[in-house]
Amino acid sequence: MRNSRRNAPSVNAGSMADIAFLLLIFFLVTTTISAEKGILRKLPDKCANPPCDVPFNERNVFRIFINFENKIMAEDEIIELEELKDLVIAFIDNNGENVCGYCNGEQQPNLSDKPSEAIISLKHDALTNYGMYIAVQDEISDAYYDLRVAYAKKTFDKIPDELSKEELKAVKEAYPFILSEVNVKRN
């Protein structure tokens, strides 16, 4: 019986920890981590000199609401996502006061006075799909981008990539991106 204890089979587990560690490193290195889709925005600076409320004309606010069913309502009308960009462009570029020399709008009485006063107000339900929210944000951004590209071509005869810093600043001042996001109330 003494011999059976001495010759008992055993497993050399000294390198098991090394193998497990190498496998862990291999899977960490080869696994891809998907990046979340987000919104690139530069938020305005905090108001330094109160009062921070700016008076505005009601006609200069374009209201967009996304409900819990992901339906879009713009100015109290249900619309499709594909319609939103054209509505935003028409609102911003309206030239209601007839003081904007570069605007191409139809001077409708219910749309904005001029691009520097046009405010897009976006509100959504707490149950709105994040993908729909991003799609609406993209449509609004595309509208501003198209207006800025047209202005750059008309004024400087250049595409945005060819603009100098001063020209780019002038384009952004002509069509400032003014978006007001309303806080979502959750029950």
Side-chain angles (χ1 to χ4, degrees):
M1 289 226 187
R2 253 174 38 174
N3 274 346
S4 65
R5 280 189 180 172
R6 245 192 283 178
N7 294 334
S10 65
V11 176
N12 183 3
S15 63
M16 287 290 206
D18 293 338
I19 292 170
F21 184 68
L22 287 174
L23 284 172
L24 178 66
I25 291 175
F26 172 77
F27 287 117
L28 284 174
V29 170
T30 58
T31 303
T32 58
I33 300 172
S34 62
E36 289 291 324
K37 207 173 182 186
I39 304 169
L40 288 174
R41 288 275 155 50
K42 182 179 184 236
L43 297 176
D45 296 329
K46 191 174 182 179
C47 180
N49 302 324
C52 298
D53 296 337
V54 178
F56 60 90
N57 187 342
E58 263 316 299
R59 97 182 232 177
N60 290 323
V61 180
F62 187 75
R63 287 176 177 76
I64 303 168
F65 176 68
I66 312 168
N67 70 8
F68 67 95
E69 295 175 331
N70 296 318
K71 292 185 179 174
I72 303 167
M73 182 181 291
E75 293 297 316
D76 300 326
E77 281 188 39
I78 301 287
I79 63 165
E80 295 297 320
L81 180 64
E82 297 79 27
E83 300 174 73
L84 184 60
K85 180 178 168 182
D86 292 334
L87 291 172
V88 171
I89 288 174
F91 173 76
I92 296 168
D93 211 28
N94 183 49
N95 195 16
E97 291 183 341
N98 200 16
V99 295
C100 178
Y102 54 86
C103 294
N104 299 314
E106 299 176 9
Q107 299 177 346
Q108 297 290 324
N110 58 334
L111 301 179
S112 74
D113 293 328
K114 54 188 171 186
S116 62
E117 294 180 4
I119 301 167
I120 307 296
S121 175
L122 178 60
K123 183 178 181 181
H124 62 91
D125 190 271
L127 298 176
T128 299
N129 181 307
Y130 187 67
M132 177 57 81
Y133 178 76
I134 294 295
V136 169
Q137 289 270 359
D138 287 345
E139 291 296 312
I140 295 168
S141 296
D142 286 349
Y144 274 98
Y145 182 76
D146 288 356
L147 288 168
R148 288 175 174 178
V149 167
Y151 179 79
K153 286 180 182 176
K154 184 178 179 181
T155 307
F156 302 111
D157 197 27
K158 295 180 181 178
I159 60 172
D161 293 340
E162 298 171 346
L163 295 173
S164 68
K165 284 185 180 182
E166 294 80 24
E167 292 168 336
L168 187 59
K169 185 178 178 183
V171 169
K172 287 181 178 181
E173 285 175 1
Y175 288 101
F177 192 98
I178 305 172
L179 178 68
S180 169
E181 294 190 48
V182 180
N183 287 337
V184 179
K185 301 209 178 191
R186 298 174 191 221
N187 295 334

